[in-house]
């Protein structure tokens, strides 16, 4: 889904049809409209990052050849947040997480890790790996925006809807395990 569509949906939730119309017509934004869209983009990136870090982790694998027993986090294709495992020839390898690098055995390794999404622009795509809806993102963005603008009551209302959407989505994703009925002899 397009980031622009999420921002348009948020503007409509906030009752800013005037700015939504300008944005949908690709008109030149100036003054308050420009500042509002910039703030909403900041909120979008914060909400997407929060969802990826706390609720719906994004996972990737990095195949690399380790020389000297160290791998810099800058060499990862995506910004790592948490190292899940390090394997060499499908066997777990010991590793140590340091502030700027990962220490592990030398040789070919596969590093599985959680990452944070890159900052998006208004013309970009949302993080496709996140199982989230436009509505969930819009609620979170609206809550952040209202908080930034000092509208505390509105922020609490949107935050409540945002958390409820997260809870609903997380609940639907969890597997239910049933214990078989016991039989008494």
């Amino acid at each position: 889904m397009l980031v622009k569509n999420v921002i348009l949906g948020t503007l409509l939730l906030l009752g800013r049809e005037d700015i939504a119309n300008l944005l949908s017509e690709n008109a030149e934004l100036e003054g308050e409209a420009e500042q509002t869209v910039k703030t909403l983009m900041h909120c979008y990136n914060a909400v997407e990052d929060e969802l990826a870090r706390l609720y719906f982790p994004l996972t990737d694998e990095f195949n690399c050849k380790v020389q000297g027993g160290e791998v810099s986090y800058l060499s990862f294709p995506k910004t790592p947040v948490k190292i899940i495992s390090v394997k060499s020839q499908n066997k777990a390898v010991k590793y140590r997480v340091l502030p700027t690098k990962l220490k592990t055995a030398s040789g070919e390794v596969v590093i599985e890790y959680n990452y944070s999404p890159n900052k998006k622009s208004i013309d970009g795509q949302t993080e496709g790996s996140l199982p989230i809806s436009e509505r969930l993102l819009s609620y979170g963005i609206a809550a952040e925006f209202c908080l930034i603008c000092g509208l505390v009551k509105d922020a609490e209302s949107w935050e409540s809807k945002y958390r409820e959407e997260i809870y609903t989505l997380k609940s639907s994703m969890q597997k239910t395990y049933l214990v078989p009925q016991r039989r008494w002899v």
Side-chain angles (χ1 to χ4, degrees), residues 156-184:
E156 288 174 352
S157 173
W158 291 119
E159 183 75 18
S160 155
K161 291 178 182 183
Y162 173 61
R163 298 289 171 209
E164 189 175 310
E165 282 289 314
I166 291 171
Y167 176 77
T168 302
L169 185 57
K170 291 283 283 182
S171 297
S172 69
M173 292 174 66
Q174 291 177 345
K175 295 180 181 175
T176 306
Y177 297 101
L178 298 175
V179 177
Q181 183 178 6
R182 293 186 179 156
R183 296 184 185 197
W184 299 97

Side-chain angles (χ1 to χ4, degrees), residues 78-104:
K78 298 172 182 164
T79 308
V81 174
K82 178 183 176 185
I83 304 298
I84 298 170
S85 68
V86 179
K87 293 181 181 179
S88 178
Q89 299 174 352
N90 286 334
K91 292 182 182 177
V93 176
K94 288 185 179 182
Y95 63 93
R96 188 167 156 212
V97 176
L98 300 173
T100 59
K101 59 190 169 192
L102 178 74
K103 283 195 160 221
T104 187

